[in-house]
Amino acid sequence: MAPVTNRFSSRPSGRSLLALVVAFVLLVGVGELVLRQFDLNRRAEAQSRLLSQLVDARALLEAEVSEGIYVTIGLESFIESQKGDPDFKQIKLWMASLFEQTRHLRNIGIAPDNQITAVYPKEGNADAIGVHYRELPDQWSAVQEGMESGNPTLVGPINLVQGGKGLIYRTPVAVDGEYWGVISTVMKFSSIIEAIDRFGATYAGEYRLVKVTPNGPETIAGTHVPEPKISESLDIKFPGGLHWRMTMSEPLSIWPLWGIRAVVWSLGLIVAVLIWQWLRSSQIAREVEARSVQERTEFIHSVSHELRTPLTSIRGAVGLLEREHAKDPKTAHLLSVASRNLQRLQRLVDEVLDLARLDASRMQLRIESVRLPELVHQAIENNEHYASQHELTLLTRVSPGAEEALVEVDNERFLQVMDNLVSNAIKFSDSGQTIEIQVERKGEWCEVRVADKGAGIPAAFRRRIFDRFARADSSDKRSNQSGTGLGLSIVRELVLAMNGEIDVQSEEGVGTIFTVRFPTQPQP
């Protein structure tokens, strides 16, 4: 009889196959969920970043365009205050000063009864004097619209007769409820776009600016990002009815999904599920944080716009009144007090906004390699007049070896640091004293010391000198000085953001020394 042989099938049973299929489907399903979550997180982070950048860009664009609008509002207020009979010589002096301070103004025309009487600057625009807007068919309809509605209009960008493109802001002027004439302000569109381009250069993405019209969007500036890409858009509506839309985009890189699939499948069903749950919770946290950042940024933008708009108009009006009443001591004194408080309020707004940007890590620094002594001398020049008003002397010493010291800092922010430290030293020094500013190289560091011989900082207050809103108590001489308690906090944050260090040494009755130091760079 033949022997019996036991044979086992190499094929899995139906139940095993079902189990394998179920396990495979689960692994693939979980793996795909994880990959999808990765992709969603990546897109959410990119969109949050783009939105934050876009809010900053919109705020900058509104501020640049508003520069010319605020000047027009100030001029309108002055003409109304003069009952329609302004002193054009005084306006010319004021406008000459404004044109030195502003970047985008091209010209301003004043037209009582719609006839151009004065143009600033006169060079290159003299032919416009005496022209009546009825003689300009392409502009007369806009002037008529303003006469009927009483509202200002902003148009552009349009091609200018003088060449280039510009924005034109026209505002009708009423005196005692009666139409007096129109003020027309032309802003250089290219100059405004250059400011946006410089801002956009700090980001990896690109932007596109379109003008929203009844016939559809019209591209006016920006570049194109090829597909695939991620984009965010925000509308920009200016006073005067102009409507733009800004879009920021950045390329979307394609991930090696199959490699990630292999890794996910190797982890197994349980690990994959745990990772998916963890990623889900992380995504929720990021969404909450992104929403908080967006809301805070929108709030900062709103505060900036709502505070700076009236402040600019008020400062312009007060400046005009100071010139008009310079010979009346009592009125001049009251206006001087008002001007100082307006400046203080402006500084407070700027300091709060700086702190908000530092908190959100969105303070844009343009780090460059510069010679530190040159920046220090510039800072001293900026404060010479302030020191002379207090009968103080600023003495600068540059130690041997420090003349050619190179450091990497943001020029503007470093000057902000020095202005704060030097002005503090001036504020807390007595007349006749000398404030020493010394630049010295120590090994791999270059440091700047600002030393005064004032009353010094109380010992109990030194440990919190850099805290926000920190001020000495009422028994200290410092409590009599105006300030918000934000300046030194901002100084510390800026120094740290530029990879520097700051400390303070002080002794009551002897004086105070603030020291900032930065790593030196190799000579070119």
Side-chain angles (χ1 to χ4, degrees), residues 103 121 189 199 208 214 223 225 250 297 307 341 403 439-440 459:
R103 295 167 293 174
F189 181 70
F199 176 86
R208 186 163 63 100
T223 55
V225 177
E250 67 177 53
T297 306
L307 289 179
N341 281 279
E403 296 89 346
V439 184
E440 185 174 357

Side-chain angles (χ1 to χ4, degrees), residues 60-317:
L60 175 62
L61 184 58
E62 289 180 336
E64 298 298 323
V65 174
S66 296
E67 181 180 274
I69 294 177
Y70 296 156
V71 170
T72 310
I73 293 174
L75 183 56
E76 177 187 7
S77 300
F78 176 71
I79 292 175
E80 291 175 352
S81 69
Q82 299 298 304
K83 301 299 183 182
D85 186 22
D87 184 347
F88 284 92
K89 291 183 179 180
Q90 186 175 1
I91 292 178
K92 182 178 180 180
L93 294 174
W94 181 52
M95 294 306 302
S97 173
L98 281 176
F99 267 77
E100 293 178 359
Q101 301 174 26
T102 56
R103 295 167 293 174
H104 310 310
L105 290 182
R106 185 151 191 172
N107 60 68
I108 295 181
I110 305 174
D113 295 325
N114 299 327
Q115 185 172 18
I116 301 174
T117 302
V119 178
Y120 303 93
K122 188 175 181 180
E123 294 75 18
N125 302 290
D127 292 341
I129 297 177
V131 174
H132 198 288
Y133 274 109
R134 287 194 182 91
E135 303 170 10
L136 305 173
D138 56 337
Q139 299 187 42
W140 176 238
S141 60
V143 174
Q144 283 183 308
E145 180 182 346
M147 292 172 58
E148 295 172 359
S149 66
N151 297 322
T153 59
L154 177 64
V155 297
I158 62 175
N159 294 322
L160 300 175
V161 176
Q162 307 95 314
K165 293 185 176 182
L167 305 179
I168 301 181
Y169 182 78
R170 294 190 183 92
T171 181
V173 181
V175 176
D176 295 331
E178 296 293 328
Y179 178 76
W180 177 84
V182 63
I183 301 173
S184 180
T185 301
V186 179
M187 292 169 273
K188 294 176 285 188
F189 181 70
S190 60
S191 175
I192 295 172
I193 294 303
E194 285 174 4
I196 303 302
D197 287 339
R198 288 193 298 270
F199 176 86
T202 61
Y203 296 117
E206 304 289 347
Y207 81 95
R208 186 163 63 100
L209 191 63
V210 302
K211 179 180 178 181
V212 180
T213 68
N215 298 325
E218 173 188 343
T219 300
I220 55 179
T223 55
H224 175 68
V225 177
E227 300 289 347
K229 63 183 179 181
I230 295 179
S231 301
E232 286 286 348
S233 299
L234 282 178
D235 285 346
I236 309 171
K237 296 183 179 180
F238 298 100
L242 191 61
H243 184 187
W244 289 353
R245 181 175 297 122
M246 177 175 279
T247 300
M248 276 197 166
S249 307
E250 67 177 53
L252 179 64
S253 59
I254 300 176
W255 284 28
L257 299 181
W258 283 107
I260 298 178
R261 281 193 179 95
V263 173
V264 173
W265 293 343
S266 66
L267 294 178
L269 177 60
I270 297 177
V271 175
V273 171
L274 292 176
I275 291 177
W276 180 82
Q277 291 177 342
W278 175 76
L279 288 173
R280 180 61 178 167
S281 62
S282 298
Q283 181 195 8
I284 294 173
R286 278 192 293 270
E287 288 176 351
V288 171
E289 181 180 358
R291 190 178 300 113
S292 175
V293 170
Q294 178 183 350
E295 291 174 352
R296 184 167 64 250
T297 306
E298 290 285 359
F299 173 74
I300 294 169
H301 166 260
S302 298
V303 169
S304 172
H305 181 73
E306 295 300 328
L307 289 179
R308 284 178 171 171
T309 298
L311 278 176
T312 303
S313 299
I314 295 172
R315 288 185 65 180

Side-chain angles (χ1 to χ4, degrees), residues 373-387 393-397 414-415 418-419 421-423 426 435-439 448-450:
E374 295 178 3
L375 279 182
V376 171
H377 284 302
Q378 185 177 345
I380 300 309
E381 291 177 359
N382 294 343
N383 287 275
E384 284 284 2
H385 179 68
Y386 184 36
T393 301
L394 299 181
L395 178 62
T396 307
R397 302 181 187 274
F414 178 81
L415 291 176
M418 289 300 301
D419 285 346
L421 296 180
V422 174
S423 63
I426 294 172
I435 297 170
E436 294 187 5
I437 300 91
Q438 182 166 355
V439 184
V448 182
R449 292 191 295 274
V450 180

